[in-house]
Amino acid sequence: MPRAALLLTLILPCALLPAQAAPGAHQHGVVTLEVAIDGAELSLGLRAPLDDLIGFERAPRTAAERQAAAELLRSLRAPGALFEPSAAAGCTLAAATVQAPVLEGGAAGADHAELVADYRYQCAQPQALRGLKHRLFADFRRIARIDAAVAGPRGQALHKLKRPADTLSWPQ
Ligand SMILES: [Zn+2]
């Protein structure tokens, strides 16, 4: 077996480690955001305790809770200005996937439940990507901190954003 191929199989899973936070291990008030820049594609992976987004981590029980859950899912599936990549990069949203099984009639798990959202943008000028403005703190008052991992052509970096910081920047 070529040595290089063996090394790659060993190294690649480690590069993805920040994505692997186990459900139930979360800390209320802290969401994680994975940012990956790959060619013209910018992808964002948001993982948040449901408590931070809607105030409970179980199936909705009342009409008001069901409505709040539906509105949350609808708004995150059309995120609008929730995330704004550098304007000069000319990024447009190409795909959005939002999953929160507990809110959608799925099996309730243990004590905690999360929402996972993935967004993919296509950028006309990806080299102009310098950062991202976000409205997570503005729209969700329970979120106190964002642990962001950025992976791009210049390597990887971890950033901790504390309320009210609304911009995630990375060196170009
Ligand atoms: Zn929780």
Side-chain angles (χ1 to χ4, degrees):
M1 179 172 189
R3 190 180 171 84
L6 175 63
L7 276 176
L8 269 182
T9 58
L10 291 174
I11 290 168
L12 281 177
C14 301
L16 300 173
L17 264 183
Q20 305 300 317
H26 67 221
Q27 176 184 347
H28 291 178
V30 179
V31 306
T32 63
L33 182 66
E34 280 185 52
V35 179
I37 304 152
D38 184 9
E41 185 175 87
L42 167 70
S43 60
L44 306 178
L46 173 70
R47 179 184 286 271
L50 282 182
D51 186 75
D52 291 357
L53 303 178
I54 198 167
F56 54 87
E57 299 196 341
R58 48 167 175 72
R61 287 177 186 152
T62 65
E65 287 183 357
R66 277 190 288 276
Q67 184 176 351
E71 281 176 8
L72 174 70
L73 293 170
R74 191 162 50 237
S75 68
L76 290 178
R77 283 172 177 147
L82 184 62
F83 297 107
E84 290 185 53
S86 308
C91 302
T92 53
L93 184 66
T97 309
V98 177
Q99 293 178 296
V102 166
L103 296 184
E104 299 175 284
D111 300 338
H112 293 279
E114 300 185 333
L115 178 144
V116 176
D118 284 292
Y119 302 106
R120 288 176 197 283
Y121 296 81
Q122 288 295 323
C123 303
Q125 307 287 340
Q127 70 279 10
L129 273 172
R130 304 280 190 279
L132 188 69
K133 282 192 77 173
H134 72 88
R135 292 185 49 83
L136 287 169
F137 292 141
D139 290 356
F140 302 103
R141 60 187 173 80
R142 290 167 182 262
I143 300 176
R145 197 180 89 207
I146 301 165
D147 287 354
V150 179
R154 301 291 185 272
Q156 301 187 34
L158 297 172
H159 304 261
K160 289 188 193 300
L161 290 188
K162 289 186 179 162
R163 174 176 291 278
D166 67 353
T167 304
L168 170 64
S169 304
W170 51 82
Q172 71 138 324

